[in-house]
């Protein structure tokens, strides 16, 4: 078990590591050669084309202005200067809402820490409960005397912890409600002020039924002209474009090689570039590089055009899904939020995500397949969670050396060296757990893709939900259970089964030392490592040295990255869980969490301003998940405190603690009814207001031209001019009947025009 000395060694290692990372970043960021690594967002926005440094040849690589080294820490105040409205405009509402998670952590835990260290720590420290348990062979250290475990069974001082539980609950709920309200208002304001986007008018239709008389295109056209005659405008068919994607990717490679050879020839015009056609370009027939790659690009361009034409005119590649656009946001809201068919498994509609947010590979999955896939993923997730207990047990064995020594005395000489023991207990458990969790997010993201979600944002939210549950079961509960088993191994082996719950009740507060080491490794050094961007830095310079041939290559080598909601948000939620659970049990953990939230807020604000380039904008749609997980952590903390006090003989407190989960669940239901609709639906009132303002300002807007190719597969956009001119819309000459090939529908008295896939890509 980690002692105060072990925690001190771990803190020293992690603080030195974090400071080293921050100093290295502060120096590397001002070097012109690293400008694209630490300021990629400005390059992608077109606001920066080269480093701001001027001077001779050497100044292009190394900063020769020594005054800038004196001001190398000015990135911290600069990261805090940009006001929130400007940050929303610069980085989007998703990034701002994400940063507010860190602010919420500071708002919740800083006042709680002040009260806990004023009222609870003296109460815990002045008792002698652990000293009286020496004869029971329970392993503990001096730092554990600051926890609830140091209070003897049946003590009247447990009322302090009971009152603290009420204070924590009311303060957390107050801050959660206020934040939920503010972010809901921010989202509504953002949507009201947002510029015109295709997803505001568009609905994704899935599981379109097959019909022997009509193709998918004709069926979609007919269905929506019949059922939405006044608001339907057009649609975009969805195609299976696997072959086209391969051709486009190959042409891209050939074009880069052609540009490289042309640039090489321009530098040495007396000599034509020659390439060899053999293995890896090292042997074989020699040919002119420019002529060869020019012919390859032309050949691939023709193949791409032919494939596009085949997809446009054919029907076999069309999948049973389509993007349907309406003349108004009001019409789209009605369609997206109502049932379209008597069969609830057909004509499934939902709001379409942004075009850049669509995950096209899952659009063609049938409704039945989705259910089967999710069952398969649920089973796989269960076994993944279960078998991950093995590395968790290994990590806890590192964190509880005293218990292992008592059970296995022959290992004692190997691990009794004082400094080595401090490193093993104070540093290795946290870093080992971090390594074991490194590959988990990618596995969970692949599971989410297999489940069939059709947007990147929904994929990330699903993966984040599974990652949080995984950490709750394995990292939190698993560490407590296995850690307690290792920590009190000798006592477990020599006591009756009836006394085991009491032993666990004493031991759980003492697991705070393990979580402190994990917070320092992941929260302090990990956040400092995030701003250093060591991996993107190395990869960029390797690509720039060996692979970059053109400016396009250099742009692609610039990896801006994203926030990574599926990995970062569950990690934050783990800190909320630890803080709420241990606030009334072992408050010594709170300063470490507060320092994490403060450092992470500054670091990620800098990254949002200068580095991250989000792939999509969901207008903070993920906040209900954040709120729900914090509420879940609060309920877990109440139940664990109830169990701990019952093992400590404070049975009279149970009725008072039972009230807290009931009140918290009621609070969550209130927030869900009051604020959740702002994140799920788009009110008809808001859509009508926005439509009315738009018609007043732009009465001749041609929306059909605006939607053309908006939801085309990205590969259809390659090599085509997709500039959308807002031309004057001409009134349609509508026929009296809806044309259809189905005999029973030929006399439907609604307007339509017959054509096959008019707006397929």
């Amino acid at each position: 078990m980690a002692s105060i000395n072990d925690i001190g060694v771990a803190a020293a290692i992690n603080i030195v590591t974090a400071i080293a990372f921050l100093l290295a970043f502060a120096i590397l960021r001002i070097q012109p050669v690293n400008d694209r690594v630490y300021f990629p967002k400005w390059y992608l926005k077109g606001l920066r084309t080269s480093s701001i440094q001027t001077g001779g040849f050497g100044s292009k690589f190394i900063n020769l202005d020594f005054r800038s080294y004196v001001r190398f820490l000015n990135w911290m105040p600069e990261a805090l200067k940009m006001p929130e409205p400007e940050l929303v405009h610069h980085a989007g509402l998703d990034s701002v809402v994400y940063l507010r998670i860190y602010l919420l952590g500071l708002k919740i835990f800083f006042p709680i820490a002040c009260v806990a260290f004023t009222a609870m720590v003296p109460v815990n420290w002045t008792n002698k409960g652990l000293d009286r348990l020496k004869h029971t062979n329970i392993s503990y250290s001096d730092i554990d005397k600051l926890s609830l475990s140091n209070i003897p069974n049946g003590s009247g001082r447990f009322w302090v912890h009971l009152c603290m539980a009420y204070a924590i609950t009311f303060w957390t709920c107050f801050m959660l409600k206020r934040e939920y309200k503010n972010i809901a208002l921010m989202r509504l304001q953002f949507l009201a002020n947002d510029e015109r986007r295709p997803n505001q008018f568009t609905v994704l239709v899935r599981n379109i039924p097959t019909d022997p008389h009509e193709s998918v295109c004709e069926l979609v056209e007919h269905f929506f002209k019949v059922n939405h005659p006044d608001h339907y405008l057009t649609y975009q068919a969805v195609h299976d474009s696997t072959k086209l994607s391969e051709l486009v990717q190959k042409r891209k490679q050939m074009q880069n090689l052609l540009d490289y050879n042309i640039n090489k020839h321009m530098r040495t015009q007396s000599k034509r570039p020659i390439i060899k056609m053999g293995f890896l370009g090292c042997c074989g027939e020699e040919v002119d590089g420019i002529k060869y790659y020019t012919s390859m690009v032309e050949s691939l361009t023709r193949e791409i055009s032919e494939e596009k034409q085949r997809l446009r005119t054919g029907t076999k590649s069309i999948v049973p899904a389509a993007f349907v656009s309406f003349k108004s946001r009001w019409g789209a809201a009605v369609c997206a939020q109502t049932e379209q068919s008597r069969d609830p498994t057909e004509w499934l509609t939902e709001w379409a995500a942004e075009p850049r947010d669509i995950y096209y590979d899952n659009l063609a999955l049938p409704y039945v397949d989705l259910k089967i896939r999710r069952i398969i993923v649920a089973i796989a997730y269960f076994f993944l969670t279960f078998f991950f207990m093995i590395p968790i047990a290994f990590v806890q064995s590192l964190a509880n050396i005293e218990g292992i020594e008592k059970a296995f005395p022959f290992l004692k000489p190997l691990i009794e060296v004082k400094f080595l023991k401090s490193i093993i207990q104070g540093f290795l458990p946290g870093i080992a757990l971090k390594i074991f969790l490194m590959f988990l997010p990618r596995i969970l993201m692949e599971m989410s893709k297999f489940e069939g979600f059709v947007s990147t944002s929904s994929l990330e939210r699903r993966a984040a939900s599974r990652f949080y549950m995984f950490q709750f079961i394995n990292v939190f509960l698993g560490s407590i259970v296995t850690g307690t088993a290792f920590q009190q191994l000798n006592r477990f082996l020599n006591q009756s089964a009836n006394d085991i719950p009491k032993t666990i009740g004493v031991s759980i507060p003492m697991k705070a030392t393990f979580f402190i080491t994990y917070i320092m490794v992941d929260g302090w050094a990990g956040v400092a490592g995030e701003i250093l961007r060591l991996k993107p830095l190395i990869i960029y310079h390797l690509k720039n040295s060996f692979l970059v041939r053109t400016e396009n290559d250099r742009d692609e080598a610039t990896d801006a990255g994203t926030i990574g909601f599926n990995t970062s948000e569950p990690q934050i939620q783990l800190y909320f869980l630890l803080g709420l659970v241990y606030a009334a049990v072992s408050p010594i953990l709170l300063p470490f969490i507060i320092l994490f939230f403060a450092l992470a807020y500054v670091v990620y604000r800098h990254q949002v301003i200068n580095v991250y380039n989000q792939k999509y904008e969901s207008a903070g749609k993920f906040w209900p998940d954040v709120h729900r997980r914090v509420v879940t952590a609060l309920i877990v903390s109440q139940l664990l405190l109830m169990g701990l006090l019952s093992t400590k003989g404070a049975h009279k407190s149970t009725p008072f603690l039972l009230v807290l989960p009931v009140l918290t669940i009621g609070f969550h239901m209130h927030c869900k009814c009051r604020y959740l609709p702002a994140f799920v639906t788009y009110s008809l009132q808001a859509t009508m207001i926005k439509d009315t303002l738009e018609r007043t300002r732009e009465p001749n807007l041609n929306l059909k031209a605006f939607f053309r190719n908006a939801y085309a597969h990205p590969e259809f956009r390659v090599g085509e001019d997709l500039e959308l001119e807002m031309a004057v819309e001409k009134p349609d000459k509508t026929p009296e009947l809806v044309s259809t090939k189905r005999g029973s529908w030929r006399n439907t008295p609604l307007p339509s025009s017959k054509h096959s896939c008019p707006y397929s890509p």
Side-chain angles (χ1 to χ4, degrees), residues 736-750:
E736 297 179 357
L737 302 179
V738 177
S739 299
T740 177
K741 294 181 180 179
R742 301 186 63 177
S744 60
W745 291 357
R746 288 180 186 273
N747 298 322
T748 307
L750 287 173

Side-chain angles (χ1 to χ4, degrees), residues 14 426-427 430-431 434 516-527:
N14 286 284
F427 182 73
I431 196 68
K434 180 74 174 175
I516 286 174
T517 63
Y518 180 71
I519 291 170
M520 287 189 292
V521 171
D522 181 71
W524 296 4
V527 169

